[in-house]
Amino acid sequence: MNAVPSATVLPDLTDPAFWAGDDSLPILRELRRRAPLWHLESATEGPLWCVLSHELAGEVLGDAARFSSEQGSLLGTGRDRAPAGAGKMMALTDPPRHRHLRNLVLPYFSKRKATELRGRVVELTRQVVHGALGAAETDFVRGISSTVPLTVMCELLGVPDEDQGHVVGMCDRAFLGDTPEERAEAHQQLLPYLFGIGLRRQGDPRDDLISSLVTHEVDGRRLPLDEALLNLDNILVGGVQTVRHTSSTAMLALTRHPDAWEAMREDGYDPELGVEELLRWTSVGLHVLRTARTDTELAGRRVRAGERVVVWTPAANRDETEFEEPDRLRLDRTPNRHLALGWGPHYCIGAPLARVELAALFGVLSEAAERVEVLRPPVPNRSLINFGLDSLDVRLHPRAGRG
């Protein structure tokens, strides 16, 4: 990788290998200082407008009238293929349809609901963390960061108690399988299960997320079962992946910043501020894609209708014009208008629950563990969507009197 002072040409941001490099953020900082908007000819994705600044990111994400989600919200489908679920999934619709779909599931992800779930989340988190205390070795990704989000999502969906172990196992393999083939096979097993339970809930609705999607109406008609299934799958993936990747990469960051780890145990520490800073610092959702609806101007450049615009979240969340000392991990940072959970109409619907789960995890960890020792170099997942870790092997050293 070129040295930062000579970073005058935009590297291929669609190559996950770029994000695995230690110099990715310094390179983007230098490029952002030169211009907030760059044009990229990606070998896999074609021409893209790349947004690197916080202000410009907010402009794009906040204006659904100019920048649409219906042609795709993430890279990965290539140059010309529309993603599956376009116009049907909440993530791939624009207002007003997006708002109608969002309203169907909002009661299950509101701040009030997240507050109601806090006790359950803390209970589950204590079980997981205390089970790992003193063990010779634990994979933080598989053994700690995924367990609670998976269980909570199963409970919200309405998965019967007797099926939860089976569903958690399928999700575990779908998200954490060792090979792409194993992950794809598990996902193909999960979809028919959701379809079957959706059919049952149509005739026997209950107070759960599946029933809400398969029995309620959007635009005067009941949501087709296949569309309900697509949205359920999207909610399940989003509800698990964001917390899993954020918590594991945040844990790694805390082992590299022991002053921040100690700050979590100090009097006056505010876990809400701490979680926001961990979200900003990790920025695991690498990008958000939008498509220009009409010819428009962005940062003084002409963007034509149909051209794709990508907001690169880690770059926006290290913008020194928005964040003082952006390369410092400051758990008391305020204000903190990070974009790790999105911005505008598509702001992450699961944000309140994600915050509760992250606060619970690091609250329990900082109480129970004196330190977290990384046993071997972590393995990055090399994903362009959620850039996190495939494994993080650690030992939790109990605090005095524990373990």
Side-chain angles (χ1 to χ4, degrees):
M1 190 69 68
N2 292 336
V4 174
S6 62
T8 58
V9 178
L10 188 70
D12 185 1
L13 304 187
T14 66
D15 181 359
F18 169 78
W19 298 98
D22 293 335
D23 54 357
S24 59
L25 292 174
I27 287 174
L28 290 176
R29 178 177 63 236
E30 176 64 21
L31 291 168
R32 185 178 55 248
R33 287 172 177 171
R34 295 174 183 270
L37 183 69
W38 290 72
H39 196 264
L40 171 67
E41 286 287 343
S42 167
T44 55
E45 298 289 339
L48 302 169
W49 289 101
C50 294
V51 174
L52 303 184
S53 76
H54 185 277
E55 180 180 7
L56 209 58
E59 180 180 343
V60 171
L61 298 180
D63 193 345
R66 291 165 65 204
F67 301 101
S68 171
S69 301
E70 290 197 355
Q71 287 73 46
S73 61
L74 295 169
L75 297 170
T77 59
R79 294 170 178 259
D80 302 314
R81 287 191 304 160
K88 299 177 181 179
M89 290 168 53
M90 186 166 32
L92 300 175
T93 54
D94 295 320
R97 181 169 175 78
H98 170 77
R99 184 169 60 252
H100 294 159
L101 288 171
R102 190 180 180 95
N103 287 342
L104 289 182
V105 300
L106 188 59
Y108 297 92
F109 296 102
S110 65
K111 285 186 178 180
R112 174 181 294 182
K113 184 64 174 180
T115 300
E116 291 175 4
L117 290 170
R118 181 177 288 121
R120 174 62 172 156
V121 169
V122 171
E123 174 194 358
L124 289 168
T125 304
R126 286 199 175 115
Q127 292 173 11
V128 171
V129 170
H130 290 180
L133 276 177
E137 184 172 319
T138 300
D139 182 351
F140 195 91
V141 177
R142 288 168 169 78
I144 296 178
S145 69
S146 304
T147 306
V148 173
L150 274 172
T151 302
V152 172
M153 283 304 303
C154 281
E155 293 177 356
L156 284 174
L157 285 169
V159 174
D161 292 345
E162 62 271 20
D163 290 353
Q164 283 196 12
H166 175 57
V167 173
V168 167
M170 284 191 290
C171 291
D172 223 16
R173 294 191 299 276
F175 301 146
L176 301 171
D178 291 330
T179 65
E181 293 76 17
E182 181 182 355
R183 293 192 291 271
E185 180 183 356
H187 207 72
Q188 290 304 312
Q189 294 172 353
L190 177 62
L191 293 175
Y193 174 84
L194 292 174
F195 189 86
I197 198 171
L199 278 175
R200 295 197 297 273
R201 289 293 192 271
Q202 281 186 328
D204 181 23
R206 303 179 186 182
D207 183 16
D208 58 45
L209 187 52
I210 292 177
S211 297
S212 181
L213 276 170
V214 300
T215 62
H216 286 73
E217 294 184 348
V218 178
D219 298 333
R221 67 182 180 96
R222 179 174 282 191
L223 196 66
L225 191 56
D226 66 321
E227 294 187 24
L229 178 64
L230 284 169
N231 281 281
L232 286 170
D233 184 63
N234 185 241
I235 289 168
L236 179 58
V237 171
V240 175
Q241 295 287 67
T242 298
V243 175
R244 172 166 77 90
H245 289 301
T246 299
S247 59
S248 56
T249 52
M251 187 68 257
L252 179 62
L254 289 167
T255 66
R256 294 171 172 175
H257 296 81
D259 55 329
W261 172 255
E262 290 302 322
M264 284 185 165
R265 294 204 288 255
E266 294 177 358
D267 291 340
Y269 169 69
D270 186 335
E272 292 186 3
L273 293 182
V275 164
E276 297 307 315
E277 178 67 349
L278 291 174
L279 284 162
R280 182 195 73 88
W281 182 267
T282 57
S283 294
V284 297
L286 279 183
H287 74 274
V288 182
L289 174 66
R290 295 290 184 262
T291 302
R293 288 179 176 273
T294 60
D295 290 357
T296 188
E297 185 175 287
L298 194 61
R301 306 287 296 275
R302 189 68 172 172
V303 177
R304 300 194 178 280
E307 292 186 330
R308 299 197 293 172
V309 181
V310 186
V311 170
W312 294 98
T313 311
N317 279 346
R318 296 294 182 101
D319 188 341
E320 61 274 14
T321 65
E322 174 65 29
F323 303 99
E324 183 181 351
E325 297 182 298
D327 295 324
R328 279 191 59 197
L329 181 61
R330 291 171 34 185
L331 298 184
D332 60 350
R333 182 181 298 275
T334 184
N336 194 345
R337 299 193 315 146
H338 65 80
L339 307 177
L341 297 172
W343 195 261
H346 283 266
Y347 184 76
C348 177
I349 194 170
L353 179 58
R355 289 183 169 106
V356 165
E357 291 174 341
L358 290 167
L361 176 57
F362 289 106
V364 171
L365 276 169
S366 61
E367 290 173 2
E370 184 63 34
R371 66 188 179 95
V372 178
E373 177 187 2
V374 178
L375 300 178
R376 57 187 59 88
V379 179
N381 66 352
R382 302 296 178 101
S383 167
L384 188 60
I385 297 174
N386 286 298
F387 195 84
L389 303 175
D390 272 345
S391 66
L392 177 63
D393 297 324
V394 300
R395 179 180 296 130
L396 306 186
H397 292 270
R399 297 187 72 179
R402 294 182 180 271

